[in-house]
Amino acid sequence: MDSATKQKYRDYLDSELEAVHMYTALAEAERDPERAQIFRDLVEIEMRHAAKWADKLGMDPASLNPGRRGLKPRLLKLGASVFGTNRVLPVLLRLEADEIDAYAGDPEAADILDEELAHTARLADMAGMSLEDVTLRNERTHRVGLGGIGNNLRAAVMGMNDGLVSNLSLVMGVSGGVADADIVMLAGSAGLLAGACSMAAGEYISVRSQRDLYEHQIRRERVEIEESPEEEQEELRLIYRAKGLSDKDASRLAARIMSDPEIALDTMAREELGLDPDELGSPVGAAVSSFLAFSAGAIVPLLPYVLQLGSIAFMLSAVLSGVALFVVGAVLGGMTGRHPLWGAARMLLAGGLAAGVTFGIGRLIGISIMG
């Protein structure tokens, strides 16, 4: 057995054992006896899968310890105990989807793949979801932040948030230490430029590296299509079976797609890798958005000093920043599925606390210097 095959079996074994621990945790947390029995049945099936890979590795299947616990199963059990198992079933569905992705196209795992597909359907039914709903959710999970618009929007929102909080803290800290508005404006301006440039550079490198990785995955997929079209067609067939198509329809659709290499590449990139080849993210776009957004956030606490409003500059800076924190927090809360008021209150509290702490430290340093 070569090292690559051995590592493959080891990965399969670890995945199955992780599923054992997860299902065991849910069985212990489930109050409904019938649902608890379903989880225990799944534990037995996953242990049988694990035994198969252990045997291929030359291990004694009887030596596998299903009672091993880790942090993730413990947290899952706690969440299931407090909120109910339905609220944590998406974690198991994601785990099953990962196993299906790993087994798809591997002849040695053909029998296990059918059972994993059945597991997914069973868990989806317990969660009140269709298999199609599960597939679409998993695809959205893969695609979060991948598109150019998604990357730029994420960079813009987070950049504005970072600029607002960091420069508010800087302005408040300097204001606490010195009474000279010109010094405050200088420090705030320097913070704005330094922070914006740093954010832009970091975002460019991050998205550029991410795009390089995605392009490498697509190139590798192209080679696999050219060198092993039959295996790729089988993978595509299994993907469409997981989406609920009959074996006949899945086979017909996979064959039609694989007849055109370019269409096959585009489809495999989307279905297998979860990538949109046309929207891998723009490093320049993300960097520019980040720079502008950080600057837009950072200018808010600095604006009263730029306008030279004298003695009311400090108070007005705090009020404007508070309003901006409220608005940004509400927007972020809505984007993450939270109630906007909850997001606004959280952001206002966090930003206000940061500003208060830096103001206090600035005041202490200022007093010690002046004293």
Side-chain angles (χ1 to χ4, degrees), residues 180-208:
D180 192 331
D182 290 337
I183 295 178
V184 175
M185 186 173 71
L186 177 61
S189 299
L192 185 156
L193 291 173
C197 290
S198 176
M199 284 287 294
E203 195 67 23
Y204 178 86
I205 293 172
S206 174
V207 178
R208 180 69 266 176

Side-chain angles (χ1 to χ4, degrees), residues 115-287:
E115 291 189 327
E116 296 296 347
L117 289 169
H119 290 180
T120 299
R122 198 170 189 181
L123 292 172
D125 183 64
M126 293 176 68
M129 302 168 61
S130 68
L131 194 58
E132 182 179 359
D133 291 335
V134 174
T135 303
L136 291 175
R137 173 177 289 190
N138 289 337
E139 287 179 353
R140 286 195 295 269
T141 300
H142 279 307
R143 289 183 170 91
V144 169
L146 295 183
I149 295 176
N151 271 321
N152 293 345
L153 179 60
R154 173 178 59 85
V157 173
M158 298 309 298
M160 182 174 292
N161 175 58
D162 289 345
L164 177 59
V165 175
S166 63
N167 221 35
L168 171 61
S169 300
L170 177 61
V171 168
M172 292 294 106
V174 176
S175 298
V178 299
D180 192 331
D182 290 337
I183 295 178
V184 175
M185 186 173 71
L186 177 61
S189 299
L192 185 156
L193 291 173
C197 290
S198 176
M199 284 287 294
E203 195 67 23
Y204 178 86
I205 293 172
S206 174
V207 178
R208 180 69 266 176
S209 300
Q210 175 181 269
R211 187 181 178 97
D212 289 343
L213 173 61
Y214 296 154
E215 289 174 344
H216 170 70
Q217 290 177 317
I218 292 174
R219 286 194 299 270
R220 186 173 60 185
E221 192 66 36
R222 182 186 294 277
V223 172
E224 291 177 356
I225 291 173
E226 293 174 351
E227 296 182 352
S228 307
E230 295 83 5
E231 293 181 8
E232 294 300 298
Q233 181 171 324
E234 176 65 11
E235 287 184 22
L236 197 55
R237 183 186 70 83
L238 293 172
I239 288 173
Y240 287 126
R241 277 196 60 195
K243 291 190 176 196
L245 272 66
S246 67
D247 185 67
K248 180 179 180 180
D249 290 339
S251 298
R252 185 187 303 115
L253 182 57
R256 182 180 302 174
I257 290 173
M258 292 301 295
S259 65
D260 187 321
E262 290 304 316
I263 294 178
L265 177 62
D266 185 84
T267 303
M268 292 300 291
R270 295 172 189 272
E271 300 290 357
E272 183 179 9
L273 303 178
L275 302 176
D276 184 343
D278 298 324
E279 295 185 0
L280 299 182
S282 168
V284 174

Side-chain angles (χ1 to χ4, degrees), residues 328-341 343-344:
V328 171
V331 172
L332 285 173
M335 289 177 63
T336 57
R338 293 278 192 171
H339 194 285
L341 289 179

Side-chain angles (χ1 to χ4, degrees), residues 286-306:
V288 171
S289 297
S290 183
F291 181 92
L292 294 177
F294 187 97
S295 300
I299 195 63
V300 173
L302 191 60
L303 191 58
Y305 292 94
V306 174

